[in-house]
Amino acid sequence: MSKVGFLDKRIGKLFLQMTSVISGAVSLTVIFFDIPPTYKPWAALTLLGVLAFCYIGIWVWSNRLNSISINVEGSDVLVTVGDIFQQEGLKVIAFNEYFDTRVDNKIISDRSINGIFITKHLDVPVEDLDKHIDSYGFNVDEPIEENLSRQQGKKKKYRLGTICVYKDFLLTAFSKFDDQNRAFLTMPEYLEFMINFWDRVNSVYALKSVSTAVFGSGITRIKGHRNISDEDLLKIMLWTFRISEMRFKHPAKLTIVIHKDKIDQINLLDIKAVKNGV
C-alpha cells in the first residue's frame, strides 16, 4: 500500500510545476522549428507519454522519499533514514528515568539504541559511565528522587528530559519504568519530556548539530495511545520543537533519524508540504 495516493493533490501540484517547464520548452522549440503536419499527431502522443511518465515518476519518488529538509522557526531540520551513530555532532541516546546501564534484555534490550550504545559504542567499562552519571553536574532544579524499594537496577530517579552529556552523546531520561521494568509513558508525560528535553538541549548543545531518533518509536508504551504511529510521534516532536525556545544557529542543525524499517510508515511528503513540518 502506497503512502501517497496516485491522485494526491500534492502530486498534482508538483506535476503542474514540471509541466510548466516542459510546456515552456516545447513552446520555445516550435518557434524555431516547424513540425510537419504528418508528424504532429505523433509529437502530441509523445508529449502526452512524457507527461504521463513524469507524473508516474513523481508519484514513485514521493513514495520512496527518505529524506527531507525543512526550516522550523529559523532552525534547519533534516529528517532522514540512517544510522544515528554515523551522524556528526551530538547524538541523543534515550535512557530510562534511572539512567540504567544494565543490558540484560530485561532492563535494557540489546536491540534498542540504548543497548547498542552501551554494548557497541561505549569505549570505556560500563562502571566508568555509571560514575560519570553519578558525578555529573546536573542543574540544581533537576529533582532527583530515591526509589529504595526498587529490586533491580539503579535507585536514583531523574526528571523526564534530564540530560547528561557524555563525550559526543546526550544521554536523556526518556521513559518511566513500572515495577516489572517495563518502559511506559502517558501522553502528557511524553509532551512533558519533549518540552523539558528541548529546553535542556538549548543549554548544552554548544553550537553543535544534534541528532536523535524518533522518541517512542521503540518498545516504550504510551498509555492510551497503543496505536500511535511513528509519523504522529515525529509530528509531535516537530511541534514541540517549534513551540520551544530551542533554536539551532547555523551551521548547527537538528537531524531526526528514522530507522530504515520504519520509513514505510512515515509520509515525508506530507510533513514537507506543511509549514514547519506540522
Side-chain angles (χ1 to χ4, degrees):
M1 183 177 179
S2 61
K3 296 180 291 183
V4 184
F6 190 72
L7 299 178
D8 191 288
K9 61 182 181 181
R10 290 159 300 189
I11 300 295
K13 183 178 180 180
L14 292 172
F15 176 68
L16 288 175
Q17 293 173 353
M18 181 173 289
T19 54
S20 64
V21 175
I22 294 175
S23 61
V26 171
S27 299
L28 187 62
T29 300
V30 298
I31 290 176
F32 298 100
F33 301 97
D34 289 329
I35 300 176
T38 55
Y39 289 102
K40 285 185 177 181
W42 294 107
L45 288 174
T46 300
L47 178 60
L48 289 175
V50 170
L51 293 176
F53 178 81
C54 290
Y55 189 93
I56 294 173
I58 294 172
W59 177 66
V60 171
W61 168 82
S62 299
N63 279 285
R64 293 183 176 179
L65 188 63
N66 60 13
S67 182
I68 59 170
S69 295
I70 57 178
N71 187 278
V72 180
E73 302 294 339
S75 296
D76 292 328
V77 179
L78 174 66
V79 183
T80 185
V81 173
D83 180 352
I84 190 170
F85 295 104
Q86 299 300 317
Q87 306 302 312
E88 297 182 355
L90 299 168
K91 292 162 277 290
V92 179
I93 307 297
F95 279 68
N96 62 26
E97 60 186 332
Y98 295 95
F99 283 105
D100 279 320
T101 56
R102 184 193 300 176
V103 183
D104 56 1
N105 291 318
K106 294 180 180 179
I107 294 180
I108 300 176
S109 169
D110 60 3
R111 294 181 297 173
S112 66
I113 292 177
N114 189 184
I116 293 171
F117 162 69
I118 293 172
T119 59
K120 296 183 179 180
H121 296 273
L122 188 63
D123 55 359
V124 296
V126 175
E127 293 75 15
D128 289 357
L129 177 61
D130 290 332
K131 292 177 182 178
H132 175 80
I133 295 171
D134 288 337
S135 63
Y136 187 75
F138 292 105
N139 293 336
V140 294
D141 63 340
E142 300 286 9
I144 301 176
E145 302 176 11
E146 292 275 353
N147 183 0
L148 299 179
S149 63
R150 193 173 188 228
Q151 298 299 312
Q152 294 180 313
K154 300 180 182 180
K155 300 185 184 299
K156 285 185 180 180
K157 184 164 62 174
Y158 298 80
R159 181 184 183 185
L160 297 181
T162 298
I163 285 179
C164 172
V165 182
Y166 176 76
K167 297 185 178 180
D168 59 347
F169 293 95
L170 300 182
L171 318 182
T172 185
F174 167 60
S175 58
K176 287 182 172 291
F177 258 33
D178 62 18
D179 294 337
Q180 296 180 334
N181 288 321
R182 294 178 301 188
F184 74 94
L185 282 178
T186 63
M187 183 53 72
E189 288 169 340
Y190 184 87
L191 295 174
E192 175 192 355
F193 162 78
M194 290 306 316
I195 295 297
N196 290 339
F197 173 76
W198 295 129
D199 182 56
R200 302 306 183 271
V201 170
N202 196 30
S203 301
V204 302
Y205 86 106
L207 300 181
K208 295 181 180 178
S209 293
V210 173
S211 298
T212 180
V214 177
F215 290 112
S217 178
I219 62 173
T220 300
R221 303 161 182 83
I222 299 182
K223 289 188 173 182
H225 296 78
R226 180 180 299 177
N227 296 322
I228 191 168
S229 67
D230 282 36
E231 183 173 330
D232 290 332
L233 294 172
L234 174 59
K235 289 179 177 178
I236 292 173
M237 289 179 65
L238 292 170
W239 175 71
T240 54
F241 177 73
R242 179 168 65 87
I243 66 173
S244 73
E245 296 183 355
M246 177 67 223
R247 297 295 176 263
F248 285 94
K249 296 181 180 179
H250 185 78
K253 69 177 184 293
L254 169 66
T255 299
I256 300 178
V257 181
I258 303 171
H259 192 276
K260 63 180 181 179
D261 294 337
K262 299 280 190 175
I263 188 59
D264 287 342
Q265 305 172 26
I266 299 176
N267 184 349
L268 292 183
L269 184 65
D270 188 28
I271 294 172
K272 177 72 172 177
V274 181
K275 181 182 179 182
N276 289 332
V278 290

